[in-house]
């Protein structure tokens, strides 16, 4: 039996993100009513993370759901929302949540025009599409953009998924997305370059060799950023294991 205050949740998109968020919400007691999945890979992923949840067509998911999660590529989001609005599928009072980093709730305007309640929630983490993400989600933050009256709903959903909400204004979503993309892409590129160099000189398991260094360097940089005292030269020196020069008394 569904507990009071629990939602019927439908998920459009069975990539790396949708099934994980669905599993997190299911763990909080919400009922996952269905998920859309096209490829065999996405169907397998949905079955692994959401066993027993039916694979449904998109119109049926929207019809059954109190909360619809649009976990689709950002390049497809605008057309999808508009097309479903043109078909008259969005329902008054229905929560519609998308997970695209660059967009706030403006992209959901066609659904809002039909009475749906818009939410933009982006988890700031790199997804694998496996149960490992459920653990990582517990240590992550989610950007929440929503009209003022419904911001608490977005924040509550994030907390129920185990993450921490961070409010991001509509006008700031592009900058937020740039920061997230920069951190993810540069981290991957730099680690890839460094491991390739070690491999080229015959170092076995270069990823394991660099792991402690990269993790400690990133943690130091994040701690310094939180304190507002980043000193790139000092962080780099410490990362190489060199002692900083002593201060003159």
């Amino acid at each position: 039996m569904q507990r009071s205050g629990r939602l019927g949740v439908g998920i459009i998109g069975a990539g790396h993100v949708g099934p994980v968020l669905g599993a997190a919400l299911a763990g909080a007691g919400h009922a996952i009513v269905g998920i859309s999945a096209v490829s065999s890979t996405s169907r397998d992923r949905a079955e692994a993370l959401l066993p027993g949840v039916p694979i449904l067509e998109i119109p049926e998911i929207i019809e059954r759901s109190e909360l619809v999660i649009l976990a689709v590529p950002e390049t497809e989001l605008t057309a999808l929302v508009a097309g479903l609005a043109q078909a008259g599928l969005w329902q008054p009072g229905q929560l519609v949540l998308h997970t695209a980093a660059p967009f706030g709730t403006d992209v959901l305007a066609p659904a809002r025009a039909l009475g749906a309640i818009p939410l933009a929630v982006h988890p700031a983490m790199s997804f694998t599409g496996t149960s490992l993400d459920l653990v990582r989600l517990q240590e992550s933050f989610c950007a929440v953009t929503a009209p003022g009256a419904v911001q608490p709903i977005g924040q509550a959903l994030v907390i129920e998924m185990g993450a921490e909400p961070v409010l991001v204004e509509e006008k700031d979503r592009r900058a937020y997305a740039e920061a997230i993309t920069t951190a993810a892409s540069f981290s991957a590129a730099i680690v890839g370059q460094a491991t390739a160099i070690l491999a080229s000189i015959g170092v076995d398991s270069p990823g394991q060799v660099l792991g402690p260094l990269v993790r400690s360097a990133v943690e130091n940089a994040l701690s310094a950023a939180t304190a507002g005292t980043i000193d790139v030269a000092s962080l780099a020196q410490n990362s190489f294991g060199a002692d900083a020069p002593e201060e003159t008394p």
Side-chain angles (χ1 to χ4, degrees), residues 22 110 120 125 135 183 192 196:
M125 59 175 276
V135 178

Side-chain angles (χ1 to χ4, degrees), residues 24-63:
L25 288 172
H30 296 284
I32 311 302
V33 301
I35 185 169
S36 68
V38 178
S39 69
S40 59
T41 300
S42 62
R43 286 173 175 266
D44 291 344
R45 184 182 298 114
E47 177 60 32
L49 285 165
L50 298 169
V53 171
I55 306 294
L56 302 175
E57 296 297 322
I58 291 176
E60 191 173 1
I61 290 175
I62 296 177
E63 181 182 358

Side-chain angles (χ1 to χ4, degrees), residues 92-106:
Q94 185 175 55
L95 295 166
V96 182
L97 182 158
H98 79 74
T99 62
F103 300 119
T105 57
D106 284 352

Side-chain angles (χ1 to χ4, degrees), residues 151-248:
Q151 282 179 354
I153 298 176
Q155 292 172 301
L157 289 170
V158 169
I159 291 170
E160 287 189 321
M161 288 188 289
E164 289 288 333
V166 175
L167 293 176
V168 177
E169 295 292 332
E170 184 82 30
K171 63 182 177 61
D172 296 326
R173 287 290 292 213
R174 290 285 179 181
Y176 163 79
E178 181 181 0
I180 295 300
T181 301
T182 299
S185 60
F186 273 76
S187 297
I190 290 170
V191 170
Q193 181 180 2
T195 54
I197 292 172
L198 291 183
S200 71
I201 61 174
V203 173
D204 292 331
S205 303
Q208 293 182 6
V209 172
L210 289 175
L213 168 65
V214 171
R215 283 189 288 270
S216 60
V218 169
E219 287 297 327
N220 289 344
L222 292 173
S223 296
T226 300
T229 57
I230 280 189
D231 181 338
V232 175
S234 176
L235 287 171
Q237 185 178 46
N238 291 341
S239 295
F240 287 124
D243 287 332
E246 294 183 6
E247 294 183 0
T248 303

